[in-house]
Amino acid sequence: MNHVACSFVGFYLSTVFFLDSALLSEASSLRLGDNIVSLNGKWQLVNSNSTFSLSAEVPGCVHTALQRQGVISDPYYRFNDLAYRWISLDNWTYTTSFSLPACVEEVQDVQGKGKVVLVFEGVDTISTISLNGVTIGTTDNMFRRYDFDVTGLLKDQENILQVFIMSAVAYASQRSRAHTKYRVPPDCPPPVQKGECHVNFIRKAQSSFSWDWGPSFPTLGIWKGVRLEVFNTFRVLSFTTSLKYDSADSSWSVEVELFFDVVVASKGLVHISIPLLLSEAEFQLSLTPGQRKTSFILQVNQFQNVSLWWPFGHGDQRLYNLEINVKLDDGETFKAQRMVAFRTVELVQELIPSSPGLSFYFRINGKPIFLKGSNWIPVHAFQDQVTTDMITVLLRSAQKANMNALRVWGGGVYEQDFFYNLCDMYGIMIWQDFMFACALYPTERDFIQTVREEITQQVRRLKSHPSVVIWSGNNENEAAIATDWFNISVADRPLYVKDYVNLYVDNIRDIVLQEDSTRPFLVSSPTNGVESEREGWVAQNPYDPNFGDTHYYNYFTDCWDWTAFPRTRFASEYGFQSWPSLSTLSKVSVSSDWDFSSNFSAHRQHHEDGNQQMLRQAELHYILPNSTDSVQRYRDTIYITQVMQAQCVKIQTEFYRRSRSDISEGKGHTMGTLYWQLNDIWQGPSWSSVEFGGKWKMLHYWAADFYAPVLSVGIEDKGDLLIYAVSDRQSEQHSVKAKVKLFSWSSFNPVCSLESNMTTVKAGGSTLVFQQSMSALLSQCGNCTRRSCLITFHLSSAAEPISPHNHIFLSSPRQAEGLQKPNITFTVKDAGVVQNFAVTLHCSFPAVYVWLDVDDVPGHFNLNGFLMLSKKTTVIFGAWRSTSVEEITANLHITSLRDVY
Ligand SMILES: *[C@@H]1O[C@H](CO)[C@@H](O)[C@H](O)[C@H]1NC(C)=O
Ligand SMILES: *[C@@H]1O[C@H](CO)[C@@H](O)[C@H](O)[C@H]1NC(C)=O
Ligand SMILES: *[C@@H]1O[C@H](CO)[C@@H](O)[C@H](O)[C@H]1NC(C)=O
Ligand SMILES: *[C@@H]1O[C@H](CO)[C@@H](O)[C@H](O)[C@H]1NC(C)=O
Ligand SMILES: *[C@@H]1O[C@H](CO)[C@@H](O)[C@H](O)[C@H]1NC(C)=O
Ligand SMILES: *[C@@H]1O[C@H](CO)[C@@H](O)[C@H](O)[C@H]1NC(C)=O
Ligand SMILES: *[C@@H]1O[C@H](CO)[C@@H](O)[C@H](O)[C@H]1NC(C)=O
Ligand SMILES: *[C@@H]1O[C@H](CO)[C@@H](O)[C@H](O)[C@H]1NC(C)=O
């Protein structure tokens, strides 16, 4: 029996005020004027034949409950994803019982008036819900909130609420079987993913049936809160704000929408204000029973100077508090507030001189902005276990790597409010996909209907966030049809194109355009944008580099060969896999698994031939680890996959950044790089730069450099060494020179040093600052050959370096002459700042890809995976919890390339 109490606190209007980001917490409490009775907490859970009966937390899921009760162990451990498959094939029932607190009785007593609504913020996924034995509704979409009117169904004592949840796997299979007219591929994921079939038939995180970076855990549960809302007159279903700029008179206005659920006709006043901008207005309100949408325009005081919201790296992220106050004549009130921000966003697709196709870039507040970032996947297979700390660590890590954008990828979940609040604060722009990925989808009436409700709710929930800069209908589904992933005959194709247009254009796009006029919408990613539209929404080649965005993967070609990359307008996906560190893997494995050819290594790899692809790419440039100590060899192999990944993504990203101003053979003007992928869903090999648990891979350290605001990029082109200065700055021009040094692999003293002339670097562009024939350079520098030397460079203005130090190798390190075991030793000291430790390294010879790993101590170094060209270097480790010099010393492993063979 649950003893519940009335509370007067609000819920989904998570208007969070983060003054001190260290004190971040989910949704601050707001009084909504309603009586809210939370039904969260301990429920009972049983499976279909009652062999399992246990206590389960709501919000939660079956797997979490079974684990917390000790019925199963960690589902991520070794092969447990297969061992626990039965959980998802069974049906489960959640039950709770509760008495009503006085507030509800009062409302119920008012005969003919008053309403009680049972609200499920999220059910995963297929359920039938009953209250006191009466079926009150069903659910079929985990991305929707469900409201059930239960007025008159409640008793004072012992109300029984039951949620029967059917196996999502069984449901998907049933729905696919019922779809008899034609197949809707793909049927099943590739066997290497060890997943379940027909996920496209269910509105659930598509990756929950397995992905090429994640396990199959088709969860069941009540993954978000449950509550009763009790009210006499009205309640507010949602509250949105849209900021609009009128360029004609340089003024801003805010459109406020309030969605009401009204019981009795009422009149009153709505007061809206932004106190800091001395802007306020009052409006008459007249409500009739039913669901009502009202909207009001607040004109921002024109004598106030509005501070704009800028993406990270381009200015401040100024947020203003907007307050709203509803007062009805009968005395009922509603109050809420939310942070609003002033910014405009445009997606520019226009003709470019001397290039076929169209541009594709974002203009924020009228300025072109290069999007730098990555792709975001679900933080956990069990979403109920995602904490605000996990999200904070990831978003902070993104910002520390100089990212200003993330794409919330369409195969996972619409993230929780906390995520978007933090992105608003951090200046991280969000490319928001709708949750459809790598598949075709059915278009039965009930499927379309539930999708329409999902899209409407999600747009209303997310559109007030300045961080969200674009909506996109799906992940890769235009490409799936256009490039025939599923062996669809030419004759059948129009049928699938029709379904595609029906779902993403006639329904999803239609809703988005109605609900939100303040940001662009794309039907897919990748897409050719307006060109895809011109071709009937499915372009002949959605990967066309002259239009829109592209996704590009190639594991076979040598990634050092930049000429192989498509010079795209916008790279929204590209990447290479690596393995996470041994300390991360050791949480889910035993020492007999620690071998690259173990069953465990094969089992965790969900991408066909992925482990071999990593080694083959690494082997092009590095000697593979061959220690006779098998655990050491395993550690070293993990290391070499991370070196390969960091180096490949760096070369590709630098190529895109330096292409921002170039047009070469008609291609270029690249204005965005979102590498695949930021985070991991579990401890396994993937394209991520941050491991499950928050530890940074080498790639993430490198991203901070290759995403620096001002960057020097060195390449070899037709026998010349070229050095470019890439600047993301908006206005200042710089006079810079490139400082170039040649080092031999065997000495700390440069073989020679050169400088370019002072060159003026374009703001928001890429400028060639140094060019010299490579063979002339080598001979000018005495004894250098391609195998014996490497080149370092950076940009310097007057005396100050203004770009990170960078380098290029003239041959593969596997052929480097003179590269010796560096014999790195270290000492650790307190750095004098709380939780900061100084690690001083000494080496006997130059070392490359110097990697520091402190196992489980959370935190990150200020520099890692670096080239060490001096005998002594000090790096700082910033810990995320209290630790000691002793703990760091005991856990620190240092590896450089020459140490692994
Ligand atoms: C009950 O269901 C569980 C889980 O599906 C299954 O393993 C078990 O064999 C069933 N027991 C009986 C008695 O049917
Ligand atoms: C789960 O529920 C469905 C729908 O009621 C039913 O067809 C199926 O047999 C049930 N499965 C089990 C294991 O009881
Ligand atoms: C707005 O900015 C202008 C120019 O900086 C300044 O003169 C004026 O006082 C500001 N107005 C307010 C209300 O802050
Ligand atoms: C593709 O479909 C055709 C029939 O349309 C069939 O003959 C062929 O075997 C299929 N190929 C694959 C790889 O499934
Ligand atoms: C610097 O400029 C001078 C004069 O224009 C030119 O002769 C010289 O080659 C330039 N040096 C470099 C490194 O580009
Ligand atoms: C060139 O290399 C030779 C042999 O390694 C060495 O003796 C000589 O001093 C070097 N010359 C220069 C200019 O570095
Ligand atoms: C390795 O470094 C230590 C400490 O600097 C030094 O004593 C030792 O001689 C070095 N060994 C080699 C082989 O260079
Ligand atoms: C590992 O490979 C290197 C380079 O090929 C070789 O010198 C070394 O002897 C090998 N070590 C072992 C243990 O096989």
Side-chain angles (χ1 to χ4, degrees):
M1 171 77 68
N2 266 349
H3 291 282
V4 294
C6 293
S7 68
F8 293 91
V9 296
F11 33 93
Y12 58 91
L13 296 180
S14 54
T15 316
V16 190
F17 300 88
F18 300 136
L19 294 177
D20 177 357
S21 55
L23 295 174
L24 291 174
S25 66
E26 184 62 347
S28 69
S29 303
L30 298 167
R31 163 119 198 242
L32 293 185
D34 306 332
N35 293 332
I36 311 295
V37 181
S38 170
L39 297 176
N40 294 344
K42 290 258 179 280
W43 292 41
Q44 269 306 115
L45 177 62
V46 294
N47 68 330
S48 55
N49 63 15
S50 301
T51 43
F52 296 102
S53 175
L54 59 151
S55 160
E57 198 72 35
V58 169
C61 74
V62 172
H63 288 82
T64 303
L66 290 168
Q67 189 186 354
R68 299 247 159 98
Q69 295 298 311
V71 180
I72 61 170
S73 58
D74 180 1
Y76 282 180
Y77 185 70
R78 299 194 77 208
F79 306 88
N80 279 353
D81 53 324
L82 298 186
Y84 297 154
R85 185 170 175 242
W86 60 270
I87 298 167
S88 312
L89 302 181
D90 206 346
N91 303 321
W92 298 81
T93 302
Y94 279 83
T95 307
T96 187
S97 62
F98 59 92
S99 311
L100 287 185
C103 57
V104 179
E105 292 160 27
E106 278 162 27
V107 170
Q108 296 269 293
D109 287 346
V110 185
Q111 286 301 325
K113 273 180 82 185
K115 190 166 167 186
V116 183
V117 179
L118 179 58
V119 178
F120 283 84
E121 283 285 348
V123 179
D124 178 13
T125 294
I126 306 303
S127 82
T128 303
I129 301 172
S130 64
L131 179 62
N132 296 329
V134 178
T135 298
I136 55 169
T138 59
T139 69
D140 63 6
N141 187 333
M142 81 180 275
F143 306 124
R144 278 176 61 179
R145 152 184 167 164
Y146 286 86
D147 287 29
F148 302 107
D149 186 346
V150 296
T151 314
L153 289 181
L154 292 168
K155 305 182 289 184
D156 291 351
Q157 301 288 322
E158 294 209 43
N159 291 285
I160 310 267
L161 177 59
Q162 224 168 37
V163 181
F164 166 84
I165 305 181
M166 181 187 174
S167 159
V169 177
Y171 175 84
S173 148
Q174 199 180 79
R175 289 296 299 226
S176 128
R177 276 199 310 275
H179 196 285
T180 48
K181 290 203 199 84
Y182 52 95
R183 68 188 189 104
V184 185
D187 293 332
C188 297
V192 66
Q193 285 180 208
K194 298 164 271 280
E196 303 292 351
C197 304
H198 305 298
V199 71
N200 46 348
F201 279 90
I202 181 170
R203 292 311 298 143
K204 176 174 171 60
Q206 300 289 282
S207 63
S208 67
F209 278 38
S210 82
W211 214 261
D212 59 1
W213 35 254
S216 172
F217 285 115
T219 46
L220 313 94
I222 301 173
W223 72 301
K224 299 201 170 186
V226 185
R227 62 177 182 268
L228 287 167
E229 293 187 14
V230 185
F231 53 103
N232 280 317
T233 315
F234 76 100
R235 65 178 176 142
V236 172
L237 294 165
S238 69
F239 155 38
T240 71
T241 50
S242 302
L243 283 83
K244 295 179 184 173
Y245 183 66
D246 182 348
S247 53
D249 62 357
S250 320
S251 70
W252 285 94
S253 60
V254 188
E255 183 187 14
V256 175
E257 285 174 333
L258 286 165
F259 297 84
F260 290 97
D261 182 1
V262 184
V263 186
V264 278
S266 26
K267 286 190 169 19
L269 292 173
V270 177
H271 184 264
I272 301 171
S273 64
I274 304 177
L276 221 57
L277 293 174
L278 306 179
S279 304
E280 59 179 327
E282 197 157 64
F283 306 88
Q284 300 282 340
L285 179 69
S286 175
L287 297 171
T288 52
Q291 300 217 340
R292 301 286 168 242
K293 169 180 160 174
T294 59
S295 77
F296 311 96
I297 309 272
L298 171 67
Q299 204 62 44
V300 174
N301 187 334
Q302 66 187 89
F303 300 108
Q304 292 295 309
N305 294 330
V306 164
S307 296
L308 299 176
W309 181 97
W310 287 99
F312 177 66
H314 293 273
D316 292 339
Q317 289 76 49
R318 185 56 191 270
L319 302 172
Y320 291 92
N321 184 27
L322 178 141
E323 296 177 3
I324 163 162
N325 219 320
V326 178
K327 245 195 209 125
L328 295 190
D329 295 346
D330 71 359
E332 292 260 0
T333 61
F334 166 84
K335 263 192 184 144
Q337 42 197 347
R338 105 165 24 258
M339 301 310 280
V340 296
F342 298 88
R343 65 113 185 81
T344 59
V345 50
E346 298 156 272
L347 177 61
V348 183
Q349 300 179 72
E350 60 190 18
L351 292 170
I352 304 178
S354 70
S355 171
L358 298 172
S359 69
F360 186 91
Y361 69 91
F362 288 88
R363 206 149 53 195
I364 308 288
N365 301 329
K367 309 272 191 199
I369 303 274
F370 192 106
L371 268 65
K372 298 181 292 194
S374 186
N375 283 268
W376 176 275
I377 64 159
V379 175
H380 206 296
F382 309 114
Q383 279 290 309
D384 54 296
Q385 295 182 28
V386 176
T387 64
T388 52
D389 276 358
M390 293 178 191
I391 292 175
T392 306
V393 162
L394 288 168
L395 290 177
R396 280 202 179 187
S397 297
Q399 202 201 42
K400 277 179 187 290
N402 285 316
M403 295 184 181
N404 62 19
L406 291 171
R407 170 167 170 255
V408 176
W409 167 76
V413 297
Y414 304 96
E415 272 304 331
Q416 48 182 282
D417 294 341
F418 179 83
F419 170 89
Y420 299 95
N421 286 330
L422 216 52
C423 290
D424 291 346
M425 282 180 53
Y426 285 0
I428 295 177
M429 292 177 279
I430 297 301
W431 174 311
Q432 180 66 50
D433 280 2
F434 291 103
M435 296 299 134
F436 301 86
C438 301
L440 305 182
Y441 285 84
T443 53
E444 278 102 330
R445 180 194 281 271
D446 63 341
F447 188 87
I448 293 282
Q449 215 40 56
T450 199
V451 166
R452 288 188 66 89
E453 185 59 31
E454 163 193 335
I455 304 301
T456 306
Q457 288 186 10
Q458 293 296 343
V459 172
R460 287 181 188 167
R461 183 173 70 92
L462 302 180
K463 71 181 226 184
S464 307
H465 290 280
S467 54
V468 177
V469 295
I470 188 168
W471 305 109
S472 169
N474 65 68
N475 173 74
E476 298 182 353
N477 298 351
E478 181 184 343
I481 297 178
T483 60
D484 195 17
W485 291 7
F486 305 125
N487 193 31
I488 287 167
S489 71
V490 175
D492 287 344
R493 203 173 130 156
L495 184 66
Y496 292 96
V497 171
K498 186 164 158 281
D499 276 358
Y500 179 90
V501 172
N502 179 2
L503 181 58
Y504 304 110
V505 181
D506 299 342
N507 283 286
I508 295 179
R509 179 171 177 272
D510 183 58
I511 293 169
V512 176
L513 297 187
Q514 275 175 42
E515 294 287 334
D516 181 16
S517 61
T518 64
R519 50 176 70 76
F521 174 85
L522 284 175
V523 177
S524 187
S525 172
T527 180
N528 293 346
V530 295
E531 173 61 18
S532 287
E533 179 174 354
R534 207 183 55 78
E535 295 177 36
W537 303 104
V538 176
Q540 202 172 357
N541 174 22
Y543 299 104
D544 189 335
N546 292 317
F547 293 98
D549 64 327
T550 58
H551 296 183
Y552 177 78
Y553 296 96
N554 182 341
Y555 313 112
F556 306 103
T557 305
D558 178 1
C559 76
W560 289 30
D561 177 11
W562 59 267
T563 63
F565 302 127
R567 203 184 278 265
T568 172
R569 304 284 190 229
F570 194 107
S572 45
E573 278 194 25
Y574 58 99
F576 292 84
Q577 277 201 335
S578 69
W579 275 79
S581 63
L582 183 56
S583 65
T584 295
L585 288 168
S586 65
K587 297 197 174 51
V588 291
S589 59
V590 294
S591 59
S592 61
D593 297 326
W594 299 344
D595 186 305
F596 211 64
S597 52
S598 68
N599 288 341
F600 174 80
S601 297
H603 178 74
R604 281 325 242 214
Q605 176 57 266
H606 280 201
H607 173 67
E608 189 67 52
D609 205 27
N611 289 344
Q612 287 317 306
Q613 283 166 1
M614 279 183 259
L615 294 186
R616 275 202 301 273
Q617 182 64 241
E619 208 173 11
L620 295 174
H621 301 291
Y622 315 114
I623 292 170
L624 296 183
N626 67 354
S627 169
T628 48
D629 175 325
S630 64
V631 173
Q632 189 59 47
R633 193 169 61 245
Y634 187 61
R635 259 186 196 279
D636 292 345
T637 305
I638 290 169
Y639 163 85
I640 208 79
T641 66
Q642 291 200 17
V643 167
M644 175 277 291
Q645 180 196 31
Q647 185 69 63
C648 287
V649 176
K650 169 189 195 270
I651 291 171
Q652 194 166 356
T653 306
E654 288 184 346
F655 166 74
Y656 292 135
R657 287 198 66 191
R658 123 179 114 74
S659 300
R660 76 172 279 170
S661 326
D662 280 18
I663 289 291
S664 168
E665 290 161 5
K667 299 189 178 62
H669 275 281
T670 306
M671 282 299 284
T673 50
L674 306 175
Y675 66 75
W676 187 266
Q677 72 206 65
L678 179 73
N679 56 317
D680 264 341
I681 197 167
W682 74 338
Q683 308 88 344
S686 84
W687 296 255
S688 78
S689 61
V690 179
E691 301 178 5
F692 183 79
K695 188 167 172 177
W696 292 11
K697 289 179 175 176
M698 194 178 295
L699 171 59
H700 205 78
Y701 286 100
W702 285 32
D705 280 351
F706 64 64
Y707 279 153
V710 178
L711 175 71
S712 56
V713 179
I715 57 156
E716 207 182 330
D717 189 17
K718 303 187 187 82
D720 282 358
L721 171 67
L722 307 180
I723 295 175
Y724 290 83
V726 180
S727 170
D728 278 353
R729 302 232 163 115
Q730 288 297 343
S731 49
E732 321 102 271
Q733 298 206 330
H734 305 271
S735 267
V736 302
K737 55 182 157 195
K739 294 196 166 180
V740 182
K741 288 180 182 165
L742 274 71
F743 282 87
S744 94
W745 283 111
S746 55
S747 164
F748 292 113
N749 299 318
V751 196
C752 76
S753 303
L754 307 98
E755 280 185 8
S756 72
N757 291 328
M758 280 310 253
T759 310
T760 302
V761 172
K762 294 192 278 278
S766 165
T767 310
L768 182 64
V769 293
F770 180 96
Q771 176 163 17
Q772 201 164 329
S773 134
M774 190 68 89
S775 54
L777 191 64
L778 293 177
S779 61
Q780 177 188 334
C781 282
N783 274 351
C784 265
T785 66
R786 285 182 168 272
R787 292 189 175 194
S788 68
C789 292
L790 66 131
I791 300 180
T792 70
F793 49 88
H794 67 272
L795 303 175
S796 149
S797 89
E800 290 283 293
I802 63 159
S803 74
H805 289 255
N806 206 341
H807 57 263
I808 62 168
F809 300 143
L810 307 178
S811 70
S812 298
R814 64 173 298 135
Q815 295 169 326
E817 284 165 6
L819 182 61
Q820 298 170 58
K821 291 213 190 264
N823 182 31
I824 299 173
T825 58
F826 68 90
T827 54
V828 181
K829 278 206 298 225
D830 202 301
V833 178
V834 185
Q835 314 303 4
N836 275 256
F837 298 86
V839 181
T840 301
L841 309 177
H842 291 268
C843 61
S844 309
F845 297 100
V848 60
Y849 304 116
V850 177
W851 180 241
L852 288 77
D853 180 342
V854 280
D855 279 348
D856 274 340
V857 186
H860 64 88
F861 293 92
N862 68 330
L863 186 68
N864 211 348
F866 50 90
L867 180 62
M868 191 166 168
L869 291 176
S870 56
K871 282 192 172 123
K872 180 180 158 193
T873 297
T874 298
V875 298
I876 305 293
F877 180 73
W880 295 339
R881 65 155 162 80
S882 70
T883 177
S884 61
V885 167
E886 292 69 34
E887 189 185 15
I888 293 192
T889 307
N891 286 285
L892 184 60
H893 303 263
I894 298 178
T895 311
S896 79
L897 188 67
R898 194 56 193 83
D899 298 324
V900 305
Y901 59 91

